[in-house]
Coordinates of all heavy atoms in Angstrom, one line a residue:
M1 N 75.9 -60.7 -13.9 CA 74.6 -60.9 -13.4 C 73.8 -59.6 -13.6 O 74.3 -58.5 -13.3 CB 74.6 -61.3 -12.0 CG 73.2 -61.5 -11.4 SD 73.2 -61.9 -9.6 CE 73.7 -63.6 -9.7
K2 N 72.6 -59.7 -14.1 CA 71.7 -58.6 -14.3 C 71.2 -58.1 -13.0 O 71.1 -58.9 -12.0 CB 70.6 -58.9 -15.3 CG 71.0 -59.1 -16.7 CD 69.8 -59.3 -17.6 CE 70.2 -59.4 -19.0 NZ 69.1 -59.4 -19.9
Y3 N 70.8 -56.8 -12.9 CA 70.2 -56.3 -11.7 C 69.0 -57.1 -11.2 O 68.9 -57.4 -10.1 CB 69.8 -54.8 -12.0 CG 69.1 -54.1 -10.8 CD1 69.9 -53.6 -9.8 CD2 67.8 -54.0 -10.7 CE1 69.3 -52.9 -8.7 CE2 67.2 -53.4 -9.6 CZ 68.0 -52.9 -8.7 OH 67.4 -52.3 -7.6
E4 N 68.1 -57.4 -12.2 CA 66.9 -58.1 -11.8 C 67.2 -59.5 -11.2 O 66.6 -59.9 -10.2 CB 65.9 -58.3 -13.0 CG 65.3 -57.0 -13.5 CD 66.3 -56.2 -14.4 OE1 67.3 -56.7 -14.8 OE2 66.0 -55.0 -14.6
E5 N 68.2 -60.2 -11.7 CA 68.6 -61.5 -11.2 C 69.2 -61.3 -9.8 O 68.9 -62.1 -8.9 CB 69.6 -62.1 -12.1 CG 69.1 -62.5 -13.5 CD 70.2 -62.9 -14.4 OE1 71.4 -62.5 -14.2 OE2 69.9 -63.6 -15.4
A6 N 70.0 -60.3 -9.6 CA 70.6 -60.1 -8.3 C 69.5 -59.7 -7.3 O 69.6 -60.2 -6.1 CB 71.6 -58.9 -8.4
M7 N 68.5 -58.9 -7.6 CA 67.5 -58.6 -6.7 C 66.7 -59.8 -6.3 O 66.3 -60.0 -5.2 CB 66.6 -57.5 -7.3 CG 67.2 -56.1 -7.3 SD 67.5 -55.6 -5.6 CE 65.9 -55.5 -4.9
R8 N 66.4 -60.7 -7.3 CA 65.6 -61.9 -7.0 C 66.4 -62.8 -6.1 O 65.8 -63.4 -5.1 CB 65.3 -62.7 -8.3 CG 64.0 -62.2 -9.0 CD 63.6 -63.2 -10.1 NE 64.5 -63.4 -11.1 CZ 64.6 -62.6 -12.3 NH1 63.8 -61.7 -12.4 NH2 65.5 -62.9 -13.2
A9 N 67.7 -63.0 -6.3 CA 68.5 -63.8 -5.4 C 68.6 -63.2 -4.0 O 68.5 -63.9 -3.0 CB 69.9 -63.9 -6.0
L10 N 68.7 -61.9 -3.9 CA 68.7 -61.2 -2.6 C 67.4 -61.4 -1.9 O 67.3 -61.7 -0.7 CB 69.0 -59.7 -2.8 CG 69.1 -58.9 -1.6 CD1 70.2 -59.4 -0.6 CD2 69.5 -57.4 -2.0
E11 N 66.3 -61.2 -2.6 CA 64.9 -61.4 -2.1 C 64.8 -62.9 -1.5 O 64.1 -63.1 -0.5 CB 63.9 -61.1 -3.1 CG 63.8 -59.6 -3.3 CD 62.9 -59.2 -4.5 OE1 62.4 -60.1 -5.2 OE2 62.6 -58.0 -4.7
Q12 N 65.3 -63.8 -2.3 CA 65.2 -65.2 -1.8 C 66.0 -65.4 -0.5 O 65.5 -66.1 0.4 CB 65.7 -66.2 -2.9 CG 64.8 -66.3 -4.1 CD 65.3 -67.2 -5.1 OE1 66.5 -67.5 -5.2 NE2 64.5 -67.7 -6.0
I13 N 67.1 -64.9 -0.4 CA 67.9 -65.0 0.8 C 67.2 -64.4 1.9 O 67.1 -65.0 3.0 CB 69.3 -64.4 0.6 CG1 70.2 -65.2 -0.4 CG2 70.1 -64.3 1.9 CD1 71.5 -64.5 -0.8
I14 N 66.7 -63.2 1.7 CA 65.9 -62.5 2.8 C 64.7 -63.3 3.2 O 64.5 -63.5 4.4 CB 65.5 -61.1 2.3 CG1 66.8 -60.2 2.2 CG2 64.5 -60.5 3.3 CD1 66.5 -58.9 1.5
Q15 N 64.0 -63.9 2.3 CA 62.8 -64.6 2.6 C 63.2 -65.9 3.4 O 62.5 -66.2 4.4 CB 62.1 -65.1 1.3 CG 60.8 -65.8 1.6 CD 60.1 -66.2 0.2 OE1 60.7 -66.1 -0.8 NE2 58.9 -66.7 0.4
H16 N 64.3 -66.6 3.0 CA 64.7 -67.7 3.8 C 65.1 -67.4 5.2 O 64.8 -68.1 6.2 CB 65.8 -68.4 3.1 CG 65.4 -69.2 1.8 ND1 64.6 -70.3 1.8 CD2 65.7 -68.9 0.5 CE1 64.4 -70.7 0.6 NE2 65.1 -69.8 -0.2
I17 N 65.8 -66.2 5.4 CA 66.2 -65.8 6.7 C 64.9 -65.4 7.5 O 64.8 -65.9 8.7 CB 67.1 -64.6 6.6 CG1 68.5 -65.0 6.0 CG2 67.4 -64.0 8.0 CD1 69.4 -63.9 5.7
E18 N 64.0 -64.7 7.0 CA 62.8 -64.3 7.7 C 62.0 -65.4 8.1 O 61.3 -65.4 9.2 CB 62.0 -63.3 6.8 CG 62.7 -61.9 6.7 CD 61.9 -60.9 5.9 OE1 61.0 -61.4 5.1 OE2 62.1 -59.7 6.0
N19 N 61.9 -66.4 7.2 CA 61.1 -67.6 7.5 C 61.8 -68.7 8.3 O 61.3 -69.8 8.5 CB 60.6 -68.2 6.2 CG 59.6 -67.3 5.5 OD1 58.9 -66.5 6.1 ND2 59.5 -67.4 4.2
E20 N 63.0 -68.3 8.7 CA 63.9 -69.2 9.5 C 64.0 -70.6 8.8 O 64.0 -71.6 9.4 CB 63.3 -69.4 10.9 CG 63.3 -68.1 11.7 CD 62.6 -68.2 13.1 OE1 62.4 -69.4 13.5 OE2 62.4 -67.2 13.7
E21 N 64.2 -70.5 7.5 CA 64.4 -71.7 6.7 C 65.8 -72.1 6.4 O 66.2 -72.9 5.6 CB 63.7 -71.6 5.3 CG 62.2 -71.4 5.4 CD 61.5 -71.0 4.1 OE1 62.3 -70.6 3.2 OE2 60.3 -71.0 4.0
M22 N 66.7 -71.4 7.1 CA 68.1 -71.5 6.9 C 68.8 -71.9 8.2 O 68.6 -71.3 9.2 CB 68.7 -70.2 6.4 CG 70.0 -70.2 5.8 SD 70.5 -68.6 5.2 CE 69.2 -68.3 3.9
D23 N 69.7 -73.0 8.1 CA 70.4 -73.3 9.3 C 71.5 -72.4 9.6 O 72.0 -71.6 8.7 CB 70.8 -74.8 9.3 CG 71.8 -75.1 8.3 OD1 72.6 -74.2 7.9 OD2 71.8 -76.3 7.8
I24 N 72.0 -72.4 10.8 CA 73.1 -71.5 11.2 C 74.4 -71.6 10.4 O 75.0 -70.6 10.1 CB 73.4 -71.7 12.7 CG1 74.2 -70.5 13.2 CG2 74.1 -72.9 13.0 CD1 73.4 -69.2 13.4
D25 N 74.7 -72.8 9.9 CA 75.8 -73.0 9.0 C 75.7 -72.3 7.7 O 76.7 -71.8 7.2 CB 76.1 -74.5 8.8 CG 76.4 -75.2 10.1 OD1 77.1 -74.6 10.9 OD2 76.0 -76.4 10.2
D26 N 74.5 -72.2 7.2 CA 74.3 -71.6 5.9 C 74.1 -70.1 6.0 O 74.3 -69.3 5.1 CB 73.1 -72.2 5.2 CG 73.4 -73.6 4.7 OD1 74.5 -73.9 4.5 OD2 72.4 -74.3 4.6
L27 N 73.8 -69.6 7.2 CA 73.5 -68.2 7.5 C 74.6 -67.3 7.1 O 74.5 -66.3 6.4 CB 73.0 -68.0 8.9 CG 72.6 -66.6 9.3 CD1 71.4 -66.2 8.4 CD2 72.2 -66.5 10.7
S28 N 75.8 -67.6 7.6 CA 76.9 -66.7 7.3 C 77.3 -66.7 5.9 O 77.6 -65.6 5.3 CB 78.2 -67.1 8.2 OG 78.6 -68.4 7.8
T29 N 77.2 -67.8 5.2 CA 77.5 -67.9 3.8 C 76.5 -67.0 3.0 O 76.9 -66.3 2.1 CB 77.4 -69.3 3.3 OG1 78.4 -70.1 4.0 CG2 77.7 -69.4 1.8
N30 N 75.2 -67.1 3.4 CA 74.2 -66.4 2.7 C 74.2 -64.9 3.0 O 73.9 -64.1 2.1 CB 72.8 -67.0 3.0 CG 72.6 -68.2 2.1 OD1 72.3 -68.1 0.9 ND2 72.7 -69.4 2.7
I31 N 74.6 -64.5 4.2 CA 74.8 -63.1 4.6 C 75.9 -62.5 3.7 O 75.8 -61.4 3.2 CB 75.1 -63.0 6.1 CG1 74.0 -63.4 6.9 CG2 75.5 -61.5 6.4 CD1 72.8 -62.5 6.9
K32 N 77.0 -63.3 3.5 CA 78.1 -62.8 2.7 C 77.6 -62.6 1.2 O 77.9 -61.6 0.6 CB 79.3 -63.8 2.7 CG 80.5 -63.4 2.0 CD 81.6 -64.4 2.1 CE 82.8 -64.0 1.3 NZ 83.9 -64.9 1.3
K33 N 76.9 -63.6 0.7 CA 76.3 -63.5 -0.6 C 75.4 -62.3 -0.8 O 75.4 -61.6 -1.8 CB 75.6 -64.8 -1.0 CG 75.0 -64.9 -2.4 CD 76.1 -64.8 -3.4 CE 75.4 -64.9 -4.8 NZ 76.4 -64.7 -5.9
A34 N 74.6 -62.1 0.2 CA 73.6 -61.0 0.2 C 74.4 -59.7 0.1 O 74.0 -58.7 -0.6 CB 72.7 -61.0 1.4
K35 N 75.5 -59.5 0.9 CA 76.3 -58.3 0.9 C 76.9 -58.1 -0.5 O 76.9 -57.0 -1.0 CB 77.4 -58.5 1.9 CG 78.3 -57.2 2.0 CD 79.4 -57.4 3.0 CE 80.3 -56.1 3.0 NZ 81.4 -56.2 3.9
E36 N 77.3 -59.2 -1.2 CA 77.9 -59.1 -2.5 C 76.8 -58.6 -3.5 O 77.0 -57.8 -4.4 CB 78.5 -60.4 -3.0 CG 79.7 -60.8 -2.2 CD 80.1 -62.2 -2.5 OE1 79.5 -62.9 -3.3 OE2 81.1 -62.6 -1.9
L37 N 75.6 -59.2 -3.3 CA 74.5 -58.8 -4.2 C 74.1 -57.3 -4.0 O 73.8 -56.6 -5.0 CB 73.3 -59.7 -4.0 CG 73.5 -61.2 -4.4 CD1 72.4 -62.1 -3.8 CD2 73.5 -61.3 -5.9
I38 N 74.1 -56.9 -2.8 CA 73.7 -55.5 -2.5 C 74.7 -54.6 -3.1 O 74.4 -53.6 -3.8 CB 73.6 -55.2 -1.0 CG1 72.4 -55.9 -0.4 CG2 73.6 -53.8 -0.6 CD1 72.4 -56.0 1.1
T39 N 76.0 -54.9 -3.0 CA 77.1 -54.1 -3.6 C 76.9 -54.1 -5.2 O 77.0 -53.0 -5.8 CB 78.5 -54.7 -3.3 OG1 78.6 -54.6 -1.9 CG2 79.6 -53.9 -3.9
L40 N 76.6 -55.2 -5.7 CA 76.4 -55.3 -7.2 C 75.2 -54.4 -7.6 O 75.3 -53.6 -8.6 CB 76.1 -56.7 -7.6 CG 76.0 -57.0 -9.1 CD1 76.9 -58.0 -9.6 CD2 74.5 -57.4 -9.4
C41 N 74.1 -54.5 -6.9 CA 72.9 -53.7 -7.2 C 73.2 -52.2 -7.1 O 72.8 -51.4 -7.9 CB 71.8 -54.1 -6.3 SG 71.1 -55.7 -6.7
K42 N 73.9 -51.8 -6.0 CA 74.2 -50.4 -5.8 C 75.1 -49.9 -6.9 O 74.9 -48.8 -7.5 CB 75.0 -50.2 -4.5 CG 74.1 -50.2 -3.3 CD 74.9 -49.9 -2.0 CE 74.1 -49.8 -0.8 NZ 74.9 -49.5 0.4
D43 N 76.1 -50.7 -7.3 CA 77.0 -50.3 -8.4 C 76.2 -50.1 -9.7 O 76.4 -49.1 -10.5 CB 78.1 -51.3 -8.7 CG 79.1 -51.3 -7.5 OD1 79.1 -50.4 -6.7 OD2 79.9 -52.3 -7.5
K44 N 75.3 -51.0 -10.0 CA 74.5 -50.9 -11.2 C 73.6 -49.7 -11.2 O 73.4 -49.0 -12.2 CB 73.7 -52.2 -11.5 CG 74.6 -53.4 -11.9 CD 73.7 -54.5 -12.3 CE 74.6 -55.7 -12.9 NZ 75.1 -55.4 -14.2
L45 N 73.0 -49.4 -10.0 CA 72.1 -48.2 -9.9 C 72.9 -46.9 -10.1 O 72.5 -46.0 -10.7 CB 71.4 -48.2 -8.6 CG 70.3 -49.3 -8.4 CD1 69.8 -49.3 -7.0 CD2 69.2 -49.0 -9.4
T46 N 74.1 -46.9 -9.5 CA 75.0 -45.7 -9.6 C 75.4 -45.5 -11.1 O 75.3 -44.4 -11.6 CB 76.3 -45.9 -8.8 OG1 75.9 -46.1 -7.4 CG2 77.2 -44.7 -8.9
K47 N 75.7 -46.6 -11.8 CA 76.1 -46.4 -13.2 C 74.9 -46.0 -14.0 O 75.1 -45.1 -14.9 CB 76.7 -47.8 -13.7 CG 78.1 -48.1 -13.2 CD 78.5 -49.4 -13.7 CE 79.9 -49.7 -13.1 NZ 80.4 -51.0 -13.4
A48 N 73.8 -46.5 -13.7 CA 72.6 -46.1 -14.5 C 72.3 -44.6 -14.2 O 71.9 -43.9 -15.2 CB 71.4 -47.0 -14.1
E49 N 72.4 -44.2 -13.0 CA 72.1 -42.8 -12.6 C 73.1 -41.9 -13.4 O 72.7 -40.8 -13.9 CB 72.2 -42.6 -11.1 CG 71.9 -41.2 -10.7 CD 72.1 -41.0 -9.2 OE1 72.7 -41.9 -8.5 OE2 71.5 -40.0 -8.7
E50 N 74.4 -42.2 -13.4 CA 75.4 -41.4 -14.1 C 75.1 -41.4 -15.6 O 75.2 -40.3 -16.2 CB 76.8 -42.0 -13.8 CG 77.3 -41.8 -12.4 CD 78.5 -42.6 -12.1 OE1 79.0 -43.4 -13.0 OE2 79.0 -42.5 -10.9
S51 N 74.7 -42.5 -16.1 CA 74.4 -42.5 -17.5 C 73.2 -41.6 -17.9 O 73.2 -40.9 -18.9 CB 74.1 -44.0 -17.9 OG 74.1 -44.2 -19.3
V52 N 72.1 -41.7 -17.0 CA 71.0 -40.8 -17.3 C 71.3 -39.3 -17.1 O 70.9 -38.5 -17.9 CB 69.8 -41.2 -16.3 CG1 68.7 -40.2 -16.3 CG2 69.3 -42.6 -16.6
K53 N 72.1 -39.0 -16.1 CA 72.6 -37.6 -15.9 C 73.3 -37.1 -17.2 O 73.1 -36.0 -17.6 CB 73.4 -37.5 -14.7 CG 72.7 -37.5 -13.4 CD 73.6 -37.3 -12.2 CE 72.9 -37.3 -10.9 NZ 73.8 -37.1 -9.8
K54 N 74.2 -38.0 -17.7 CA 75.0 -37.6 -18.9 C 74.1 -37.3 -20.1 O 74.3 -36.4 -20.8 CB 76.0 -38.7 -19.2 CG 76.9 -38.4 -20.3 CD 78.0 -39.4 -20.5 CE 78.9 -39.0 -21.7 NZ 79.9 -40.0 -22.0
V55 N 73.1 -38.2 -20.3 CA 72.2 -38.0 -21.4 C 71.4 -36.7 -21.2 O 71.2 -36.0 -22.2 CB 71.2 -39.3 -21.5 CG1 70.1 -39.0 -22.4 CG2 72.0 -40.5 -21.9
M56 N 71.0 -36.5 -20.0 CA 70.1 -35.3 -19.7 C 71.0 -34.0 -19.9 O 70.4 -33.0 -20.3 CB 69.6 -35.3 -18.3 CG 68.6 -36.5 -18.1 SD 67.2 -36.5 -19.1 CE 66.3 -35.2 -18.4
E57 N 72.3 -34.1 -19.7 CA 73.1 -32.9 -19.8 C 73.4 -32.6 -21.3 O 73.7 -31.4 -21.6 CB 74.4 -33.1 -19.1 CG 74.3 -33.1 -17.6 CD 75.5 -33.4 -16.8 OE1 76.5 -33.8 -17.4 OE2 75.5 -33.3 -15.6
D58 N 73.4 -33.6 -22.1 CA 73.7 -33.4 -23.5 C 72.6 -32.8 -24.3 O 71.6 -32.5 -24.1 CB 74.1 -34.7 -24.2 CG 75.4 -35.2 -23.7 OD1 76.2 -34.4 -23.1 OD2 75.7 -36.4 -23.9

């Protein structure tokens, strides 16, 4: 999954939670999915940062 796709999915989950559009049964599933998306985004940002640093050092 691309970073942009993960961010859009995360934003949708947050929006549904904030607007109380999610029932309690789906809440835990979506919280777990949000955590996975956050981890994915952090990993992609870390890799991009490392890549930029490497290019700048060369």
Side-chain angles (χ1 to χ4, degrees):
M1 178 180 283
K2 290 186 174 186
Y3 178 83
E4 292 81 13
E5 293 169 340
M7 283 301 297
R8 275 195 298 271
L10 184 56
E11 288 170 353
Q12 286 179 342
I13 291 170
I14 292 169
Q15 183 179 9
H16 288 293
I17 292 171
E18 288 178 342
N19 293 334
E20 299 178 10
E21 298 172 346
M22 192 175 300
D23 65 29
I24 195 73
D25 296 321
D26 292 334
L27 184 60
S28 63
T29 302
N30 281 285
I31 294 287
K32 183 178 177 182
K33 180 65 177 173
K35 183 179 177 185
E36 292 169 1
L37 291 166
I38 290 168
T39 300
L40 182 126
C41 288
K42 282 183 176 181
D43 290 345
K44 287 190 176 283
L45 287 172
T46 300
K47 287 178 184 176
E49 182 180 18
E50 290 170 358
S51 197
V52 168
K53 281 183 182 178
K54 186 176 179 181
V55 168
M56 298 300 286
E57 291 173 355
D58 289 342

